[in-house]
Every structure is written in C-alpha cells, then in structure tokens.
Amino acid sequence: MQIRVGFEISLDCQQRTPLLLALAPRPEERHRCLGSTAIQIRPGTAAPAHLDEFGNVRNRLVAAPGETKLRCDFTVLDDGAPDIVESNAGQPAVEALPADALPYLKASRYCESDLLGHTAWQMFAGTAPGWARVQAICDFVHRHVTFGYRFGRSTKTALDTFHEGNGVCRDFAHLAIALCRAMNIPARYVSGYLGDIGVPPAGPGDFCAWFEVYLDGGWYTFDARYNVPRIGRVRMVMGRDAADVPMIASFGAYRLTGFKVWADEVVPAGIPADPPTRGRARAAGDAAHAHAA
C-alpha cells in the first residue's frame, strides 16, 4: 500500500529566531519514501541538514520576523502489516545487552525510572520477564491514563502522568518507558506519523508518539495509548525521551499559528491533488505540544 504523509506548520516570530527542526523521516525510512522528503520553507531560506547523536535528521534555519511556513508532502510504501507481535521474546540479562541499548536503561528528563522503580517492581515483579512484562506495563498505562489534548504540557513527566492519570500520546509513551526501564528493559521514545489505517477515524491528524523495547531478537514496537498492533507507522525521530527529539526547538520566542498533519492511505485511483481531509488543521492551541512531541 501507499500512505501519503506530510504537514503544514506556521510560526510567527517577532525577531530573527534560530530553529532546529526534527521533521524529516529517519534515514532508515528513506528507501520506502516516494518523492522529496525535503521541508519546504516560506519565505525561502537555507536549512542545512545533519544527523544528531541518535541518527535523526535535523535541519537548521533562522526564521525571519513575521510568518514562516513549513511544509512537507510525500508518499510512503508500506507492506500493510501491523506491528510485529513476538509473544515469546524473552528479556536478556543486563550483562548480555548490546552496548547501544544501555543508554535506554537509565532515567532521563521525562522518564524518571529511578523514582518509579519501587512502584514498578511492586506492580510487575510477578509478571513473566520479556514480552509479557512489557505488555502488562502497556495494559496498565492504557487503563490508567486518560487521553486528552487539554492534559498536555511541555513540562509533564512520567511521574506526573502516573499521579495525574491523564496526558497526550507522548505521556503514555514516557510512563511506559519509565516503567520498562525500572524493570531493566531498555526502552526508547519514537515519534512520527501514524494514520487511522484499519481503525475508525480518530479526528484531526497529528504526529504520534510510541516506544520501542529491546528484547531477544532486537527492538520491538509498543504503543501504550492504542495498545493494539497498528498499520503504517513512519518513524521521524528516536531518543531517550521527548527532550532529546523536539520537533521544533527554538532559540527565541515564536507563536504557533497553524498546524496540520496528514497520514492517509492512498486510494487506488491515485494520489489526491490536495492533502487528505483527515489532515485538516487542529486548533493551534491544541497542537502546542507538538514542538516537544
């Protein structure tokens, strides 16, 4: 299948403002992307790209005073299969983990696994190590946390989400990550596109956050918000938590004036001329969490 993905974001700056963007697909996704994945910027300005320490594509630019529009629109090839479920995957001993998984065992800015450690062991010590334990954590987070854009804030941590019982998709991911790390399971934060393919429409489009854990056989995708295997994920960024991978990091104040995201299966007749209707704009206030998603 083919999935059309993209975004239109408008920012208003009072003065020249350096920006660091993380809005491109990860390099390992490029082989299935049709068309240019470059970010279109109006007014035109240079935005050189580089890879950060997590292998994410970053673009640097300086926004001029006034409105800056960011846009990207391309098509992704997808096999149409849902997330892999490997229920027999075991949990490697810490001493057997590969070196590149070790950074995802430690507490981080939004994932206070150290502060949630005692609670995690009380809740999940009786579960079988490996896939079953991660699934039990996802089941708990899915039940415990109520989704709502009104609950999102840029400073909210896993511990906050645990106590408040609400949040946006990144908060579901952060809490699940912190609980996994507390149980000695490497877990990393991922954000990107996830359209409503094979499921009922969920409203205006947005970027989505989920997480990956390291078990026997490698890294596996989990999603505590939806808690079911989904079709058509397109990874944009990966890191220890959202602090590592803000989609828009600004070095100066700006106002978000427009926000629209789409990720929809292409109909057999061909790619529509305009962005899919499910990508209609979400109120800028509701989308304010996106810069740190």
Side-chain angles (χ1 to χ4, degrees):
M1 70 166 59
Q2 295 185 4
I3 305 170
R4 185 174 178 182
V5 302
F7 60 84
E8 293 177 351
I9 299 173
S10 298
L11 313 173
D12 182 66
C13 301
Q14 295 299 309
Q15 58 189 15
R16 284 170 53 85
T17 304
L19 301 175
L20 182 60
L21 308 180
L23 291 167
R26 282 185 58 85
E28 60 266 27
E29 300 280 24
R30 292 291 181 86
H31 73 281
R32 61 190 188 110
C33 297
L34 304 178
S36 174
T37 61
I39 301 171
Q40 304 161 34
I41 304 170
R42 298 288 183 273
T45 184
H50 68 277
L51 295 182
D52 67 13
E53 64 270 36
F54 300 100
N56 304 304
V57 179
R58 298 291 189 110
N59 292 89
R60 301 174 62 180
L61 71 148
V62 178
E67 186 177 63
T68 295
K69 292 187 176 182
L70 310 173
R71 190 178 193 276
C72 193
D73 187 19
F74 59 97
T75 302
V76 176
L77 297 175
D78 191 85
D79 61 9
D83 301 326
I84 293 172
V85 175
E86 196 64 64
S87 55
N88 292 323
Q91 179 177 333
V94 171
E95 61 269 24
L97 290 170
D100 58 2
L102 297 179
Y104 302 104
L105 277 178
K106 299 183 295 184
S108 56
R109 165 70 176 83
Y110 289 113
C111 299
E112 310 103 320
S113 52
D114 51 345
L115 301 182
L116 283 164
H118 180 70
T119 298
W121 280 97
Q122 281 188 318
M123 296 174 65
F124 304 110
T127 60
W131 191 280
R133 179 165 287 172
V134 179
Q135 188 57 60
I137 289 171
C138 283
D139 291 343
F140 165 74
V141 175
H142 183 74
R143 293 191 308 265
H144 181 70
V145 182
T146 299
F147 178 86
Y149 284 101
R150 65 189 182 280
F151 302 130
R153 64 179 186 272
S154 62
T155 59
K156 195 167 193 174
T157 71
L159 190 62
D160 293 332
T161 302
F162 179 79
H163 289 306
E164 297 173 22
N166 53 50
V168 293
C169 57
R170 80 175 211 163
D171 302 314
F172 283 73
H174 283 155
L175 179 54
I177 288 169
L179 294 171
C180 284
R181 291 179 186 169
M183 304 299 293
N184 298 327
I185 303 170
R188 63 191 186 191
Y189 178 89
V190 184
S191 183
Y193 297 98
L194 179 63
D196 294 330
I197 298 173
V199 297
D206 201 351
F207 297 118
C208 185
W210 58 91
F211 71 107
E212 296 175 352
V213 301
Y214 189 89
L215 299 173
D216 287 340
W219 291 94
Y220 294 94
T221 295
F222 284 84
D223 190 330
R225 177 189 171 188
Y226 294 110
N227 206 30
V228 294
R230 293 287 297 270
I231 296 170
R233 297 184 194 271
V234 182
R235 300 198 308 172
M236 294 172 66
V237 293
M238 180 184 74
R240 291 168 299 185
D241 61 29
D244 288 332
V245 287
M247 291 185 174
I248 303 176
S250 68
F251 300 86
Y254 73 86
R255 187 166 59 94
L256 184 67
T257 57
F259 182 82
K260 184 177 181 180
V261 178
W262 52 91
D264 294 80
E265 184 178 0
V266 176
V267 296
I271 300 175
D274 297 316
T277 54
R278 211 191 75 77
R280 62 189 181 275
R282 184 184 300 281
D286 289 342
H289 72 284
H291 75 282

Short mmCIF file of all heavy atoms in Angstrom, two decimals, residues 186-235:
data_model
loop_
_atom_site.label_atom_id
_atom_site.label_comp_id
_atom_site.label_asym_id
_atom_site.label_seq_id
_atom_site.Cartn_x
_atom_site.Cartn_y
_atom_site.Cartn_z
N PRO A 186 15.49 -2.15 28.32
CA PRO A 186 15.81 -0.94 27.54
C PRO A 186 14.59 -0.47 26.76
O PRO A 186 13.90 -1.27 26.10
CB PRO A 186 16.93 -1.41 26.60
CG PRO A 186 17.51 -2.60 27.25
CD PRO A 186 16.36 -3.28 27.96
N ALA A 187 14.29 0.83 26.83
CA ALA A 187 13.13 1.38 26.15
C ALA A 187 13.47 2.75 25.61
O ALA A 187 14.12 3.55 26.30
CB ALA A 187 11.94 1.47 27.11
N ARG A 188 13.07 3.02 24.36
CA ARG A 188 13.37 4.30 23.73
C ARG A 188 12.11 4.92 23.14
O ARG A 188 11.17 4.23 22.75
CB ARG A 188 14.45 4.14 22.66
CG ARG A 188 14.07 3.25 21.50
CD ARG A 188 15.30 2.94 20.65
NE ARG A 188 14.96 2.19 19.43
CZ ARG A 188 15.86 1.61 18.63
NH1 ARG A 188 17.16 1.70 18.92
NH2 ARG A 188 15.47 0.97 17.55
N TYR A 189 12.13 6.24 23.08
CA TYR A 189 11.00 7.04 22.62
C TYR A 189 11.05 7.20 21.10
O TYR A 189 12.12 7.43 20.53
CB TYR A 189 11.09 8.41 23.30
CG TYR A 189 10.03 9.41 22.93
CD1 TYR A 189 8.83 9.48 23.63
CD2 TYR A 189 10.24 10.32 21.90
CE1 TYR A 189 7.87 10.43 23.31
CE2 TYR A 189 9.28 11.27 21.58
CZ TYR A 189 8.10 11.32 22.29
OH TYR A 189 7.17 12.26 21.97
N VAL A 190 9.91 7.09 20.44
CA VAL A 190 9.81 7.24 18.99
C VAL A 190 8.61 8.13 18.69
O VAL A 190 7.57 8.05 19.36
CB VAL A 190 9.64 5.88 18.28
CG1 VAL A 190 9.64 6.07 16.77
CG2 VAL A 190 10.73 4.91 18.69
N SER A 191 8.76 8.96 17.66
CA SER A 191 7.64 9.79 17.22
C SER A 191 7.64 9.87 15.71
O SER A 191 8.69 9.81 15.07
CB SER A 191 7.74 11.20 17.83
OG SER A 191 6.62 11.98 17.46
N GLY A 192 6.45 10.00 15.14
CA GLY A 192 6.34 10.09 13.69
C GLY A 192 4.90 10.13 13.25
O GLY A 192 4.04 10.66 13.94
N TYR A 193 4.65 9.55 12.08
CA TYR A 193 3.31 9.52 11.50
C TYR A 193 2.63 8.20 11.84
O TYR A 193 3.25 7.13 11.80
CB TYR A 193 3.37 9.65 9.99
CG TYR A 193 3.93 10.94 9.46
CD1 TYR A 193 5.26 11.03 9.05
CD2 TYR A 193 3.13 12.08 9.33
CE1 TYR A 193 5.77 12.21 8.54
CE2 TYR A 193 3.64 13.27 8.82
CZ TYR A 193 4.97 13.32 8.42
OH TYR A 193 5.47 14.49 7.91
N LEU A 194 1.33 8.25 12.14
CA LEU A 194 0.51 7.06 12.31
C LEU A 194 -0.93 7.44 11.95
O LEU A 194 -1.63 8.08 12.74
CB LEU A 194 0.58 6.53 13.74
CG LEU A 194 -0.28 5.30 14.01
CD1 LEU A 194 0.17 4.11 13.15
CD2 LEU A 194 -0.24 4.92 15.48
N GLY A 195 -1.35 7.06 10.76
CA GLY A 195 -2.71 7.39 10.32
C GLY A 195 -3.72 6.37 10.81
O GLY A 195 -3.38 5.32 11.36
N ASP A 196 -4.98 6.67 10.59
CA ASP A 196 -6.07 5.79 11.01
C ASP A 196 -6.33 4.76 9.92
O ASP A 196 -7.37 4.78 9.25
CB ASP A 196 -7.33 6.60 11.30
CG ASP A 196 -7.17 7.53 12.48
OD1 ASP A 196 -6.39 7.18 13.38
OD2 ASP A 196 -7.80 8.60 12.50
N ILE A 197 -5.39 3.85 9.73
CA ILE A 197 -5.50 2.82 8.71
C ILE A 197 -5.93 1.52 9.38
O ILE A 197 -5.26 1.02 10.28
CB ILE A 197 -4.16 2.63 7.97
CG1 ILE A 197 -3.77 3.93 7.26
CG2 ILE A 197 -4.23 1.46 6.99
CD1 ILE A 197 -2.39 3.91 6.64
N GLY A 198 -7.09 1.01 8.97
CA GLY A 198 -7.62 -0.20 9.57
C GLY A 198 -8.33 0.01 10.88
O GLY A 198 -8.72 -0.95 11.54
N VAL A 199 -8.51 1.27 11.27
CA VAL A 199 -9.22 1.60 12.51
C VAL A 199 -10.16 2.77 12.23
O VAL A 199 -9.98 3.50 11.26
CB VAL A 199 -8.23 1.98 13.64
CG1 VAL A 199 -7.33 0.81 13.98
CG2 VAL A 199 -7.42 3.20 13.26
N PRO A 200 -11.17 2.99 13.07
CA PRO A 200 -12.07 4.12 12.86
C PRO A 200 -11.32 5.45 12.94
O PRO A 200 -10.36 5.57 13.70
CB PRO A 200 -13.09 3.99 14.00
CG PRO A 200 -13.02 2.55 14.41
CD PRO A 200 -11.60 2.14 14.20
N PRO A 201 -11.75 6.47 12.16
CA PRO A 201 -11.10 7.78 12.23
C PRO A 201 -11.13 8.34 13.65
O PRO A 201 -12.13 8.23 14.36
CB PRO A 201 -11.94 8.64 11.28
CG PRO A 201 -12.55 7.66 10.33
CD PRO A 201 -12.82 6.42 11.15
N ALA A 202 -10.01 8.95 14.06
CA ALA A 202 -9.89 9.44 15.43
C ALA A 202 -9.89 10.96 15.51
O ALA A 202 -9.58 11.51 16.56
CB ALA A 202 -8.62 8.89 16.07
N GLY A 203 -10.22 11.64 14.41
CA GLY A 203 -10.26 13.10 14.45
C GLY A 203 -9.14 13.71 13.64
O GLY A 203 -8.47 13.02 12.85
N PRO A 204 -8.90 15.00 13.81
CA PRO A 204 -7.86 15.69 13.04
C PRO A 204 -6.50 15.04 13.19
O PRO A 204 -6.18 14.45 14.22
CB PRO A 204 -7.87 17.11 13.63
CG PRO A 204 -9.25 17.27 14.21
CD PRO A 204 -9.62 15.91 14.71
N GLY A 205 -5.69 15.14 12.13
CA GLY A 205 -4.38 14.50 12.14
C GLY A 205 -3.42 15.14 13.11
O GLY A 205 -3.56 16.29 13.50
N ASP A 206 -2.41 14.37 13.50
CA ASP A 206 -1.38 14.85 14.41
C ASP A 206 -0.18 13.92 14.28
O ASP A 206 -0.30 12.81 13.75
CB ASP A 206 -1.90 14.84 15.85
CG ASP A 206 -1.11 15.76 16.76
OD1 ASP A 206 -0.05 16.27 16.34
OD2 ASP A 206 -1.56 15.97 17.91
N PHE A 207 0.96 14.34 14.76
CA PHE A 207 2.06 13.42 14.93
C PHE A 207 1.74 12.51 16.11
O PHE A 207 0.90 12.84 16.95
CB PHE A 207 3.36 14.18 15.18
CG PHE A 207 3.79 15.04 14.03
CD1 PHE A 207 3.89 16.41 14.17
CD2 PHE A 207 4.08 14.47 12.80
CE1 PHE A 207 4.28 17.21 13.10
CE2 PHE A 207 4.48 15.25 11.72
CZ PHE A 207 4.58 16.63 11.88
N CYS A 208 2.42 11.39 16.18
CA CYS A 208 2.11 10.40 17.21
C CYS A 208 3.40 9.93 17.86
O CYS A 208 4.44 9.84 17.20
CB CYS A 208 1.37 9.22 16.58
SG CYS A 208 0.79 7.99 17.77
N ALA A 209 3.33 9.61 19.14
CA ALA A 209 4.48 9.07 19.88
C ALA A 209 4.18 7.65 20.34
O ALA A 209 3.05 7.34 20.73
CB ALA A 209 4.81 9.96 21.08
N TRP A 210 5.20 6.79 20.27
CA TRP A 210 5.10 5.44 20.80
C TRP A 210 6.48 5.08 21.35
O TRP A 210 7.29 5.98 21.58
CB TRP A 210 4.62 4.47 19.72
CG TRP A 210 5.45 4.37 18.48
CD1 TRP A 210 6.48 3.50 18.22
CD2 TRP A 210 5.30 5.16 17.28
NE1 TRP A 210 6.97 3.71 16.95
CE2 TRP A 210 6.26 4.71 16.34
CE3 TRP A 210 4.44 6.20 16.89
CZ2 TRP A 210 6.40 5.26 15.07
CZ3 TRP A 210 4.58 6.75 15.62
CH2 TRP A 210 5.55 6.28 14.73
N PHE A 211 6.76 3.80 21.59
CA PHE A 211 8.08 3.46 22.11
C PHE A 211 8.52 2.08 21.62
O PHE A 211 7.70 1.31 21.08
CB PHE A 211 8.12 3.54 23.65
CG PHE A 211 7.35 2.46 24.38
CD1 PHE A 211 8.02 1.43 25.04
CD2 PHE A 211 5.97 2.49 24.46
CE1 PHE A 211 7.33 0.45 25.73
CE2 PHE A 211 5.26 1.52 25.15
CZ PHE A 211 5.94 0.49 25.79
N GLU A 212 9.80 1.81 21.76
CA GLU A 212 10.38 0.53 21.38
C GLU A 212 11.17 -0.03 22.55
O GLU A 212 11.78 0.73 23.32
CB GLU A 212 11.30 0.68 20.17
CG GLU A 212 10.57 1.15 18.90
CD GLU A 212 11.51 1.41 17.74
OE1 GLU A 212 12.75 1.38 17.95
OE2 GLU A 212 11.02 1.64 16.63
N VAL A 213 11.14 -1.35 22.70
CA VAL A 213 11.91 -2.01 23.76
C VAL A 213 12.86 -3.03 23.14
O VAL A 213 12.60 -3.57 22.06
CB VAL A 213 10.99 -2.71 24.79
CG1 VAL A 213 10.06 -1.71 25.44
CG2 VAL A 213 10.22 -3.85 24.15
N TYR A 214 13.95 -3.27 23.84
CA TYR A 214 14.91 -4.29 23.40
C TYR A 214 14.65 -5.58 24.14
O TYR A 214 14.77 -5.65 25.37
CB TYR A 214 16.35 -3.83 23.63
CG TYR A 214 17.35 -4.75 22.97
CD1 TYR A 214 17.74 -4.55 21.65
CD2 TYR A 214 17.86 -5.86 23.66
CE1 TYR A 214 18.63 -5.42 21.02
CE2 TYR A 214 18.73 -6.73 23.04
CZ TYR A 214 19.12 -6.50 21.73
OH TYR A 214 19.97 -7.37 21.11
N LEU A 215 14.27 -6.61 23.38
CA LEU A 215 14.09 -7.96 23.90
C LEU A 215 14.90 -8.92 23.04
O LEU A 215 15.60 -8.48 22.12
CB LEU A 215 12.60 -8.34 23.87
CG LEU A 215 11.64 -7.47 24.70
CD1 LEU A 215 10.19 -7.86 24.44
CD2 LEU A 215 11.96 -7.58 26.19
N ASP A 216 14.83 -10.21 23.33
CA ASP A 216 15.53 -11.18 22.49
C ASP A 216 15.13 -10.98 21.03
O ASP A 216 13.93 -10.94 20.70
CB ASP A 216 15.16 -12.61 22.91
CG ASP A 216 15.80 -13.00 24.23
OD1 ASP A 216 16.79 -12.37 24.63
OD2 ASP A 216 15.29 -13.95 24.87
N GLY A 217 16.10 -10.82 20.17
CA GLY A 217 15.80 -10.65 18.75
C GLY A 217 15.87 -9.23 18.28
O GLY A 217 15.84 -8.98 17.08
N GLY A 218 15.96 -8.24 19.19
CA GLY A 218 16.09 -6.86 18.75
C GLY A 218 15.05 -5.93 19.35
O GLY A 218 14.48 -6.21 20.41
N TRP A 219 14.80 -4.83 18.63
CA TRP A 219 13.87 -3.81 19.10
C TRP A 219 12.46 -4.07 18.57
O TRP A 219 12.29 -4.39 17.40
CB TRP A 219 14.34 -2.43 18.64
CG TRP A 219 15.60 -1.96 19.30
CD1 TRP A 219 16.87 -2.11 18.84
CD2 TRP A 219 15.69 -1.28 20.55
NE1 TRP A 219 17.77 -1.55 19.73
CE2 TRP A 219 17.08 -1.04 20.79
CE3 TRP A 219 14.77 -0.84 21.50
CZ2 TRP A 219 17.53 -0.39 21.93
CZ3 TRP A 219 15.23 -0.19 22.64
CH2 TRP A 219 16.59 0.03 22.85
N TYR A 220 11.47 -3.89 19.46
CA TYR A 220 10.07 -4.13 19.09
C TYR A 220 9.22 -2.90 19.44
O TYR A 220 9.48 -2.21 20.43
CB TYR A 220 9.52 -5.34 19.85
CG TYR A 220 10.16 -6.65 19.45
CD1 TYR A 220 11.25 -7.15 20.18
CD2 TYR A 220 9.70 -7.38 18.37
CE1 TYR A 220 11.85 -8.35 19.84
CE2 TYR A 220 10.29 -8.60 18.02
CZ TYR A 220 11.36 -9.07 18.75
OH TYR A 220 11.95 -10.25 18.40
N THR A 221 8.20 -2.68 18.63
CA THR A 221 7.31 -1.53 18.80
C THR A 221 6.18 -1.84 19.77
O THR A 221 5.53 -2.89 19.66
CB THR A 221 6.71 -1.13 17.44
OG1 THR A 221 7.75 -0.67 16.58
CG2 THR A 221 5.67 -0.02 17.60
N PHE A 222 5.94 -0.91 20.69
CA PHE A 222 4.79 -0.97 21.59
C PHE A 222 4.13 0.41 21.62
O PHE A 222 4.79 1.42 21.40
CB PHE A 222 5.21 -1.36 23.01
CG PHE A 222 5.52 -2.82 23.18
CD1 PHE A 222 6.78 -3.31 22.86
CD2 PHE A 222 4.56 -3.71 23.63
CE1 PHE A 222 7.08 -4.65 23.01
CE2 PHE A 222 4.85 -5.06 23.78
CZ PHE A 222 6.12 -5.53 23.47
N ASP A 223 2.85 0.44 21.92
CA ASP A 223 2.09 1.69 21.91
C ASP A 223 1.08 1.65 23.03
O ASP A 223 0.03 1.01 22.92
CB ASP A 223 1.40 1.87 20.55
CG ASP A 223 0.79 3.25 20.37
OD1 ASP A 223 0.40 3.87 21.38
OD2 ASP A 223 0.71 3.71 19.22
N ALA A 224 1.40 2.30 24.15
CA ALA A 224 0.53 2.23 25.32
C ALA A 224 -0.77 3.00 25.14
O ALA A 224 -1.75 2.71 25.81
CB ALA A 224 1.27 2.74 26.55
N ARG A 225 -0.78 3.98 24.24
CA ARG A 225 -2.02 4.74 24.06
C ARG A 225 -3.07 3.87 23.37
O ARG A 225 -4.20 3.73 23.85
CB ARG A 225 -1.78 6.00 23.24
CG ARG A 225 -3.09 6.75 22.98
CD ARG A 225 -2.97 7.89 22.01
NE ARG A 225 -4.29 8.40 21.67
CZ ARG A 225 -4.53 9.30 20.73
NH1 ARG A 225 -3.53 9.80 20.03
NH2 ARG A 225 -5.76 9.70 20.48
N TYR A 226 -2.73 3.29 22.23
CA TYR A 226 -3.71 2.49 21.50
C TYR A 226 -3.72 1.04 21.98
O TYR A 226 -4.76 0.38 21.95
CB TYR A 226 -3.41 2.55 20.00
CG TYR A 226 -3.60 3.93 19.43
CD1 TYR A 226 -2.51 4.69 19.01
CD2 TYR A 226 -4.87 4.49 19.32
CE1 TYR A 226 -2.69 5.97 18.49
CE2 TYR A 226 -5.05 5.76 18.81
CZ TYR A 226 -3.95 6.49 18.39
OH TYR A 226 -4.13 7.76 17.88
N ASN A 227 -2.58 0.50 22.34
CA ASN A 227 -2.45 -0.83 22.92
C ASN A 227 -2.93 -1.95 22.01
O ASN A 227 -3.38 -3.00 22.49
CB ASN A 227 -3.16 -0.91 24.27
CG ASN A 227 -2.56 -1.97 25.18
OD1 ASN A 227 -1.37 -2.27 25.10
ND2 ASN A 227 -3.38 -2.54 26.05
N VAL A 228 -2.85 -1.74 20.71
CA VAL A 228 -3.13 -2.78 19.72
C VAL A 228 -2.13 -2.60 18.58
O VAL A 228 -1.67 -1.48 18.33
CB VAL A 228 -4.57 -2.70 19.16
CG1 VAL A 228 -5.60 -3.01 20.24
CG2 VAL A 228 -4.84 -1.33 18.54
N PRO A 229 -1.77 -3.67 17.87
CA PRO A 229 -0.88 -3.51 16.72
C PRO A 229 -1.53 -2.61 15.67
O PRO A 229 -2.72 -2.75 15.38
CB PRO A 229 -0.71 -4.94 16.20
CG PRO A 229 -1.00 -5.81 17.40
CD PRO A 229 -2.07 -5.08 18.15
N ARG A 230 -0.75 -1.69 15.12
CA ARG A 230 -1.26 -0.74 14.15
C ARG A 230 -0.51 -0.85 12.83
O ARG A 230 0.61 -1.37 12.77
CB ARG A 230 -1.15 0.69 14.70
CG ARG A 230 -2.06 0.96 15.90
CD ARG A 230 -3.52 1.07 15.48
NE ARG A 230 -3.73 2.18 14.59
CZ ARG A 230 -4.04 3.43 14.99
NH1 ARG A 230 -4.18 3.68 16.26
NH2 ARG A 230 -4.23 4.40 14.10
N ILE A 231 -1.10 -0.30 11.79
CA ILE A 231 -0.54 -0.35 10.44
C ILE A 231 -0.03 1.03 10.04
O ILE A 231 -0.69 2.04 10.30
CB ILE A 231 -1.61 -0.81 9.43
CG1 ILE A 231 -2.06 -2.23 9.75
CG2 ILE A 231 -1.10 -0.73 7.99
CD1 ILE A 231 -3.29 -2.66 8.96
N GLY A 232 1.15 1.07 9.41
CA GLY A 232 1.58 2.28 8.72
C GLY A 232 2.38 3.28 9.52
O GLY A 232 2.34 4.48 9.22
N ARG A 233 3.13 2.85 10.51
CA ARG A 233 3.98 3.80 11.25
C ARG A 233 5.13 4.27 10.36
O ARG A 233 5.74 3.49 9.63
CB ARG A 233 4.55 3.14 12.51
CG ARG A 233 3.49 2.73 13.52
CD ARG A 233 4.15 2.17 14.78
NE ARG A 233 3.18 1.48 15.61
CZ ARG A 233 2.45 2.07 16.56
NH1 ARG A 233 2.61 3.35 16.81
NH2 ARG A 233 1.58 1.37 17.27
N VAL A 234 5.45 5.56 10.46
CA VAL A 234 6.60 6.14 9.76
C VAL A 234 7.42 6.88 10.81
O VAL A 234 6.97 7.91 11.35
CB VAL A 234 6.17 7.11 8.64
CG1 VAL A 234 7.39 7.65 7.91
CG2 VAL A 234 5.21 6.42 7.67
N ARG A 235 8.60 6.38 11.11
CA ARG A 235 9.42 6.96 12.18
C ARG A 235 10.11 8.23 11.70
O ARG A 235 10.75 8.27 10.66
CB ARG A 235 10.46 5.96 12.66
CG ARG A 235 9.86 4.69 13.22
CD ARG A 235 10.83 3.91 14.07
NE ARG A 235 12.10 3.66 13.41
CZ ARG A 235 13.17 3.14 14.01
NH1 ARG A 235 13.12 2.85 15.29
NH2 ARG A 235 14.28 2.92 13.34
#
